[in-house]
Amino acid sequence: MVEFALLLPVVVMLIIAVFEVGVLVQTQLMLTNAAREGARAAAVVVEATDAVTAVRESLPGELSGSVRVSVERQSHVGGRAKVTVEYLIVMFGRLGGGVEIPLSSSAEMRVER
């Protein structure tokens, strides 16, 4: 029984760490998808606000309002449209305190219009 009492905190921390890494990976994948959606919008529409709207609409509610979106678009057809999405995630925040980790994803497409 003593061994169990000694190992239980380690096992619980390991399970929490696996869960937190899973949340981190899921968030990074959502940011990557949102950057692609924004780059596609920036490639076909002239207004940068449409690309920002596309990014925010592709993210779930809690992420949508707290990401930073930047759009770079060349004005000529065949130029590049690049969208970068940044988010600051807090790992182990449920345990009090936490560690802030910046996540970022960018996507680039050719301007079509």
Side-chain angles (χ1 to χ4, degrees):
M1 236 14 198
V2 174
E3 295 86 7
F4 179 73
L6 291 174
L7 285 179
L8 183 63
V10 174
V11 171
V12 169
M13 288 299 290
L14 185 62
I15 291 171
I16 291 172
V18 167
F19 174 75
E20 289 289 331
V21 169
V23 170
L24 180 89
V25 170
Q26 178 188 25
T27 304
Q28 180 64 44
L29 289 173
M30 286 191 288
L31 293 179
T32 300
N33 183 53
R36 277 193 217 122
E37 293 289 330
R40 179 69 187 144
V44 297
V45 181
V46 177
E47 294 295 323
T49 56
D50 292 333
V52 173
T53 301
V55 167
R56 295 199 187 281
E57 286 179 352
S58 67
L59 290 170
E62 67 272 3
L63 280 178
S64 178
S66 55
V67 295
R68 182 172 164 262
V69 182
S70 61
V71 179
E72 300 172 26
R73 184 184 192 279
Q74 295 175 338
S75 58
H76 61 280
V77 174
R80 71 181 185 109
K82 181 178 181 181
V83 174
T84 304
V85 183
E86 298 172 341
Y87 178 67
L88 190 64
I89 189 168
V90 179
M91 297 237 352
F92 305 109
R94 292 168 188 83
L95 300 176
V99 178
E100 293 182 342
I101 297 176
L103 296 178
S104 176
S105 184
S106 61
E108 190 174 314
M109 292 191 181
R110 227 174 7 175
V111 174
E112 297 178 10
R113 295 185 194 171

